[in-house]
């Protein structure tokens, strides 16, 4: 693996040290060696990747340079529509569905010259924290294949961590980019709600979902985010104003930056000692680099997990009503329309999706709507107010990304509540609609990655990435994956 960062590969392409075809061959060769162990991809478009790489080389040779992503192979989570490529959302009910159009984020990647290597595995309809809820089997963590990669964007995180893509896109509803990035030792960012178009993203919870980047380095994540963000008239929630480019302040450091320390974010309990120690070490390094730290309290976030698991299932129950066996996807025949729909959904939806649809339908039902969904929305408002007060004193807030490192496969599948708690640090930013990023800062005693979360006010991605870049530099984390050595592969980031 001569090139595992987007920025490094982009420089090499322009220096003539590598071709886009060479990068594509590297990705495919790597994937052929490790995909059977990891199951990061649901669809690998080898022929399409090589054809696009050849066109990219021709364009670059002719001086038609579209920017730093031109000729770079990336992966896309399989809940974003891709023209002429199967899109399943990790569900049997969409098995075989080939969309006639690209999601806006995918289209913008293509317009920037990026090459779509394939579609990555996920928890069905993005509902989960371990990628074990996929109808097509779980993804495994490249650092330890007996562990989960996190979720629901576990396929994208594992693919990037293992060198099967130089970057990728995930979606984040309650932490589904940041938590798997933390568990897989890569960078993952959730932008401000509305900064990236949701057009073509198969909806889970429409007021929470947001597309974002996963990459080896903060600089790479900024390149990906800047390529896909911006107003889209096809998305009514798309922010129409200007957003400062994420990568404009990466070299400004921490001098004078006010950092709010949110140790009790979400009322978190059970933080592993190694995670807490890595967090404290990173804080001390930030202070030494000129940051001013102060403890902050966001009391309403203690109800964030409960509010989220009423709001998200309620929206999911409405969004998934469109999967009826009539228009697209799986159809199981019945003697009546009602029986056909019932059988199609029973066979097409997995246990976790069914659980959340039932919970959401109950929360929205007559007599319970205000008691449950309405109260959860009031808690959401209180959480936004807590963040607003904190940001009057601080430029950014920080916390661990996940209370634990990667847990064993099957460890939480029989206890949904223990799985839901995996997102306690990440959910508040989704409820508030604010940006947040996870940066790897160390390993625990089992050599599993630990993530550090940086949060910022709405539309302040530039300062968030500034702090994240400084944290990355201070941590000096090596994203070389032990999996490489076990299989005799060459790893390491350059």
């Amino acid at each position: 693996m001569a090139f595992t960062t987007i920025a490094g590969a982009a420089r090499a392409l322009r220096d003539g040290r590598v071709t886009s075809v060479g990068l594509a061959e590297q990705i495919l060769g790597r994937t052929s060696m490790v995909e059977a162990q990891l199951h990061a991809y649901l669809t690998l478009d080898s022929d399409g990747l090589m054809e696009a790489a050849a066109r990219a080389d021709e364009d670059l040779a002719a001086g038609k340079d579209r920017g730093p992503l031109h000729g770079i192979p990336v992966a896309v989570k399989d809940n974003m529509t891709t023209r002429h490529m199967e899109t399943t959302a990790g569900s049997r009910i969409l098995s075989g569905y080939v969309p006639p159009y690209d999601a806006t984020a995918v289209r913008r990647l293509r317009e920037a010259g990026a090459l779509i290597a394939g579609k990555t595995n996920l928890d069905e309809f993005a509902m989960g924290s371990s990628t074990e809820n996929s109808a097509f089997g779980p993804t495994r963590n490249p650092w330890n294949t007996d562990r989960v990669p996190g979720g629901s964007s576990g396929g994208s995180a594992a693919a990037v961590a293992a060198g099967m893509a130089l970057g990728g896109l995930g979606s984040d509803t309650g932490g589904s980019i940041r938590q798997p990035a933390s568990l897989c030792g890569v960078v993952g960012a959730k932008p401000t709600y509305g900064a990236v178009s949701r057009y073509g993203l198969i909806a889970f919870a429409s007021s929470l979902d947001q597309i974002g980047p996963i990459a080896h380095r903060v600089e790479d994540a900024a390149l990906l985010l800047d390529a896909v963000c911006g107003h889209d008239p096809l998305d009514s929630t798309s922010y129409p104003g200007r957003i400062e480019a994420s990568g404009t302040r990466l070299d400004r450091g921490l001098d004078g930056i006010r950092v709010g320390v949110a140790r009790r974010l979400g009322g978190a309990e059970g933080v592993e000692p190694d995670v807490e120690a890595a967090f404290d070490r990173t804080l001390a390094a930030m202070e030494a680099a000129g940051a001013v730290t102060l403890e902050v309290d966001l009391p309403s976030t203690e109800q964030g997990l409960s509010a989220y698991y009423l709001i998200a299932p309620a929206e999911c129950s409405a969004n998934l009503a469109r999967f009826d066996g009539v228009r697209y996807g799986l159809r199981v025949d019945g003697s009546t329309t009602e029986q056909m729909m019932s059988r199609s959904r029973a066979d097409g939806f997995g246990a976790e999706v069914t659980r959340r649809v039932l919970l959401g339908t109950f929360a929205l039902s007559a007599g319970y709507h205000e008691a449950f969904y309405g109260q959860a929305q009031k808690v959401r408002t209180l959480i936004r107010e807590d963040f607003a007060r904190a940001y009057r004193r601080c430029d950014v807030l920080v916390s661990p990304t996940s209370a634990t490192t990667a847990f064993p496969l099957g460890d939480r599948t029989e206890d949904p509540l223990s799985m839901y708690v995996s997102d306690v640090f990440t959910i508040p930013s989704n409820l508030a609609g604010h940006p947040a990023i996870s940066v790897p800062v160390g390993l625990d005693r089992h050599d599993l990655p630990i993530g550090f979360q940086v949060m910022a006010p709405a539309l302040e991605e530039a300062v968030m990435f500034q702090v994240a870049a400084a944290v990355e530099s201070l941590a000096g984390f090596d994203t070389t994956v032990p999996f490489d050595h076990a299989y005799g592969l060459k790893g390491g980031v350059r």
Side-chain angles (χ1 to χ4, degrees):
M1 290 293 287
F3 306 98
T4 49
T5 67
I6 292 173
R11 288 190 293 269
L13 277 170
R14 284 149 188 81
D15 293 345
R17 288 180 285 133
V18 71
T19 64
S20 183
V21 166
L23 288 174
E25 289 174 341
Q26 172 180 289
I27 292 299
L28 292 176
R30 176 75 155 195
T31 303
S32 70
M33 287 187 278
V34 302
E35 171 62 7
Q37 287 79 25
L38 299 183
H39 188 41
Y41 281 103
L42 292 179
T43 300
L44 184 66
D45 186 17
S46 302
D47 292 341
L49 176 62
M50 294 306 299
E51 291 171 7
R55 289 195 299 271
D57 283 334
E58 291 172 3
D59 287 345
L60 288 169
K64 301 175 183 177
D65 192 337
R66 301 188 192 180
L69 295 183
H70 199 163
I72 301 296
V74 299
V76 174
K77 186 175 179 179
D78 198 31
N79 61 345
M80 300 173 210
T81 56
T82 41
R83 183 168 43 89
H84 306 322
M85 194 185 304
E86 186 180 21
T87 300
T88 69
S91 179
R92 287 190 68 242
I93 206 163
L94 277 177
S95 183
Y97 172 60
V98 179
Y101 67 101
D102 279 335
T104 295
V106 174
R107 175 177 58 80
R108 286 177 174 171
L109 278 183
R110 295 192 199 274
E111 290 172 349
L115 317 178
I116 309 300
K119 308 295 289 296
T120 54
N121 200 10
L122 68 154
D123 287 299
E124 185 179 6
F125 285 103
M127 298 179 196
S129 302
S130 66
T131 316
E132 293 174 285
N133 292 327
S134 171
F136 307 106
T139 296
R140 294 174 180 267
N141 193 311
W143 290 82
N144 183 329
T145 54
D146 292 328
R147 305 275 178 148
V148 303
S152 63
S153 305
S156 289
V160 172
M164 294 191 285
L166 298 189
L169 290 183
S171 66
D172 194 310
T173 307
S176 288
I177 290 173
R178 290 160 288 155
Q179 187 253 11
S182 176
L183 271 53
C184 288
V186 291
V187 175
K190 182 200 86 72
T192 301
Y193 182 80
V196 177
S197 171
R198 291 184 299 110
Y199 180 74
L201 175 68
I202 296 173
F204 164 14
S206 300
S207 73
L208 299 164
D209 298 339
Q210 191 64 163
I211 293 170
I214 295 175
H216 268 293
R217 290 286 186 254
V218 171
E219 179 184 12
D220 292 351
L223 291 173
L224 285 166
L225 180 54
D226 288 342
V228 300
C229 77
H231 179 63
D232 179 14
L234 298 174
D235 176 4
S236 63
T237 63
S238 175
Y239 178 66
R242 178 184 173 276
I243 303 174
E244 182 180 355
S246 299
T248 54
R249 308 185 193 179
L250 295 180
D251 59 352
R252 295 193 186 180
L254 293 174
D255 192 34
I257 293 287
R258 299 170 300 164
V259 177
V261 182
R263 292 184 185 274
R264 293 283 301 159
L265 183 65
E269 296 179 356
V271 179
E272 291 180 346
D274 289 347
V275 172
E276 193 163 4
F279 181 70
D280 289 338
R281 283 196 305 271
T282 305
L283 279 180
M286 293 174 75
E287 290 172 344
V292 178
T293 63
L294 58 155
E295 299 283 336
V296 297
D297 187 25
L298 298 110
S300 297
T301 64
E302 293 192 17
Q303 282 73 49
L305 196 68
S306 299
Y308 174 87
Y309 278 103
L310 285 167
I311 294 169
E315 295 184 8
C316 128
S317 93
N319 279 322
L320 269 60
R322 71 193 68 179
F323 299 101
D324 53 13
V326 176
R327 287 162 287 191
Y328 37 68
L330 178 73
R331 178 188 180 112
V332 180
D333 289 333
S335 58
T336 65
T337 300
E338 181 180 358
Q339 189 179 72
M340 180 273 294
M341 287 185 181
S342 177
R343 288 179 176 178
S344 296
R345 289 171 175 165
D347 284 6
F349 289 148
E352 182 60 29
V353 171
T354 301
R355 181 183 294 116
R356 297 197 193 194
V357 168
L358 290 172
L359 177 61
T361 303
F362 176 79
L364 292 175
S365 61
Y368 294 100
H369 181 285
E370 186 55 35
F372 292 106
Y373 184 73
Q375 287 295 102
Q377 291 289 16
K378 291 175 182 177
V379 170
R380 187 178 192 171
T381 298
L382 294 174
I383 289 172
R384 286 184 180 135
E385 291 172 353
D386 276 357
F387 273 110
R389 281 191 294 272
Y391 286 130
R392 284 196 284 270
R393 302 169 57 207
C394 310
D395 299 304
V396 296
L397 301 176
V398 298
S399 76
T401 307
S402 172
T404 71
T405 53
F407 47 90
L409 285 157
D411 193 50
R412 303 183 184 182
T413 51
E414 299 303 316
D415 183 3
L417 291 179
S418 69
M419 187 74 78
Y420 297 167
V421 173
S422 300
D423 299 327
V424 67
F425 281 117
T426 53
I427 279 172
S429 291
N430 294 87
L431 291 170
H434 295 165
I437 187 170
S438 179
V439 181
V441 293
L443 299 174
D444 71 0
R445 67 195 66 190
H446 303 294
D447 289 332
L448 295 169
I450 297 168
F452 184 92
Q453 181 173 225
V454 181
M455 298 160 279
L459 306 176
E460 293 292 339
E461 275 80 357
V463 70
M464 180 182 80
F465 272 85
Q466 174 188 345
V467 174
V471 167
E472 177 182 70
S473 178
L474 292 168
F477 182 77
D478 180 5
T479 59
T480 300
V481 181
F483 182 86
D484 295 346
H485 307 303
Y487 285 84
L489 306 177
K490 295 178 180 179
V493 171
R494 292 163 173 78

